[in-house]
Amino acid sequence: MFSALMDAARNSPFKAPFSRAQCEAGEKSLVPSSGRTIQAAATKEVEFGSNEFFGLCAVGGILSCGLTHTAVVPLDLVKCRLQVDQAKYKNLFHGFKITVAEEGARGLAKGWAPTFFGYSAQGAFKFGLYEVFKIQYANMIGEENAYLYRTWVYLGASASAEFFADIALSPLEAAKVKIQTTPGYANNLRQAMPKMMGEEGIAAFYKGLVPLWCRQIPYTMMKFACFERTVELLYKHVVPKPRSDCTKGEQLVVTFAAGYIAGVFCAVVSHPADVVVSKLNQAKGSSAIDVAKKLGFMGMWNGLTPRIIMIGTLTALQWFIYDGVKVAMNIPRPPPPEMPESLKKKLGVE
């Protein structure tokens, strides 16, 4: 199956290969040394770690998160309704059937505006700040430790980035859940936000922030660390040639495959907190602990199947779009990390 995907990628419009010289222009370790640039295209260079680099990474995050989350709004809507009213929406297909019967096909698009704006903002912080923190944390511990403990660098950088990303997301996520799960409350973002402010004040938009952190931070840590290590393993054990010899299309296939694998793990790790967030924003005056107690252990796994489908697809597409944006905008894409020469000498590795 993987070889078939690789064959298909050879006909991709991105098929122009990286030269080996281009890949070797990047730092072999986790983080290129300051001032080094990587040739991303024949026409322009973007300096790794520059403000332009971080800004373009944020643009990639906006596109990857905003577009993908908006595209799966119908699935997200049914998933949220399954989580908050299992008696009425018995399963995924029944949930779609009931929603269309009661509200028409247009009802499946409820909550698209807060989804688009909220996850675009989240994506900018998540991907942009991840690149910032990854470089900063790696520089703090040094080149050799950055390689040896790179998984911890990925985990720490992604957790730090998501902390700020969720502050941007929380108000719009709260509005989205209100629109999708509270019948007759509001039909769109313009109606929901003033109504929420009038009823509960600013707290209405941030009462779900802590459970959102509990959902999103483990999700993002898994998303980035699992993706980074899966890419590394795919190139080492599955892809039959070095990354430097792969076309851009083939590299994007590897990105998509690694993203989907990471997405499945993400969905399972973050699902209980996702259910609490959905129920909390539906139930006025409740706390996260109250909601968790009421749901019970099994109740916090409602809607897991549609969420695995949704998050697996989302994560794969997000990484595909993000990496595609890097290709299109000439953003440096360093090869998988290699052991620094100084560490090889210490360990006696040839």
Side-chain angles (χ1 to χ4, degrees), residues 133-154:
F133 285 119
K134 183 169 72 169
I135 291 173
Q136 292 300 318
Y137 292 163
N139 286 338
M140 286 169 60
I141 63 176
E143 183 184 44
E144 293 181 2
N145 285 329
Y147 174 79
L148 291 172
Y149 304 107
R150 59 194 181 280
T151 300
W152 291 102
V153 172
Y154 303 146

Side-chain angles (χ1 to χ4, degrees), residues 171-211:
L172 291 152
E173 177 76 358
K176 175 190 78 78
V177 173
K178 277 287 189 184
I179 293 168
Q180 291 180 338
T181 64
T182 306
Y185 186 84
N187 292 319
N188 53 52
L189 183 61
R190 293 190 307 273
Q191 294 175 0
M193 296 196 80
K195 193 171 182 179
M196 293 169 68
M197 176 64 79
E199 290 178 353
E200 301 180 67
I202 196 70
F205 302 112
Y206 289 100
K207 70 177 184 179
L209 180 58
V210 172

Side-chain angles (χ1 to χ4, degrees), residues 58-76:
V59 171
I62 290 171
L63 294 173
S64 67
C65 291
L67 295 178
T68 52
H69 277 276
T70 305
V72 296
V73 161
L75 183 59
D76 183 48

Side-chain angles (χ1 to χ4, degrees), residues 69-259:
H69 277 276
T70 305
V72 296
V73 161
L75 183 59
D76 183 48
L77 179 141
V78 174
K79 181 266 300 180
C80 288
R81 291 181 174 181
L82 274 169
Q83 291 173 339
V84 302
D85 194 349
Q86 185 75 29
K88 181 176 180 180
Y89 304 95
K90 295 179 174 59
N91 54 53
L92 180 62
F93 297 106
H94 187 256
F96 273 105
K97 182 179 178 181
I98 293 294
T99 299
V100 172
E102 291 182 349
E103 304 174 52
R106 292 183 63 182
L108 292 172
K110 268 192 169 182
W112 75 266
T115 298
F116 175 74
F117 292 113
Y119 283 93
S120 292
Q122 185 214 34
F125 283 95
K126 177 186 293 190
F127 283 91
L129 288 179
Y130 172 71
E131 301 286 359
V132 173
F133 285 119
K134 183 169 72 169
I135 291 173
Q136 292 300 318
Y137 292 163
N139 286 338
M140 286 169 60
I141 63 176
E143 183 184 44
E144 293 181 2
N145 285 329
Y147 174 79
L148 291 172
Y149 304 107
R150 59 194 181 280
T151 300
W152 291 102
V153 172
Y154 303 146
L155 290 170
S158 57
S160 301
E162 189 60 41
F163 177 87
F164 294 101
D166 289 342
I167 295 173
L169 171 63
S170 183
L172 291 152
E173 177 76 358
K176 175 190 78 78
V177 173
K178 277 287 189 184
I179 293 168
Q180 291 180 338
T181 64
T182 306
Y185 186 84
N187 292 319
N188 53 52
L189 183 61
R190 293 190 307 273
Q191 294 175 0
M193 296 196 80
K195 193 171 182 179
M196 293 169 68
M197 176 64 79
E199 290 178 353
E200 301 180 67
I202 196 70
F205 302 112
Y206 289 100
K207 70 177 184 179
L209 180 58
V210 172
L212 193 62
W213 277 330
C214 293
R215 179 188 82 184
Q216 288 297 131
I217 290 178
Y219 161 82
T220 301
M221 292 170 71
M222 182 67 72
K223 173 179 179 175
F224 282 84
C226 184
F227 171 80
E228 297 267 22
R229 294 311 299 261
T230 301
V231 166
E232 208 175 313
L233 291 171
L234 287 177
Y235 278 114
K236 186 175 182 180
H237 299 293
V238 179
V239 180
K241 55 186 176 181
R243 175 176 162 172
S244 56
D245 293 339
C246 293
T247 67
K248 293 179 182 179
E250 290 169 339
Q251 291 179 37
L252 290 174
V253 168
V254 174
T255 293
F256 185 86

Side-chain angles (χ1 to χ4, degrees), residues 18-35:
F18 284 127
S19 69
R20 185 175 298 275
Q22 284 175 310
C23 289
E24 290 178 351
E27 181 68 42
K28 294 290 186 182
S29 64
L30 182 65
V31 180
S33 59
S34 60

Side-chain angles (χ1 to χ4, degrees), residues 18 22 25-27 32 36-41 44-50 52-54 56-57 131 134 243 322-323 325-327 329-335:
F18 284 127
Q22 284 175 310
E27 181 68 42
R36 184 182 294 270
T37 59
I38 297 175
Q39 180 73 37
K44 184 183 177 183
E45 291 183 350
V46 176
E47 183 182 356
F48 187 90
S50 65
E52 182 184 9
F53 170 78
F54 295 129
L56 290 176
C57 288
E131 301 286 359
K134 183 169 72 169
R243 175 176 162 172
Y322 183 65
D323 224 22
V325 168
K326 281 191 168 185
V327 170
M329 293 186 174
N330 306 323
I331 305 172
R333 301 166 67 239

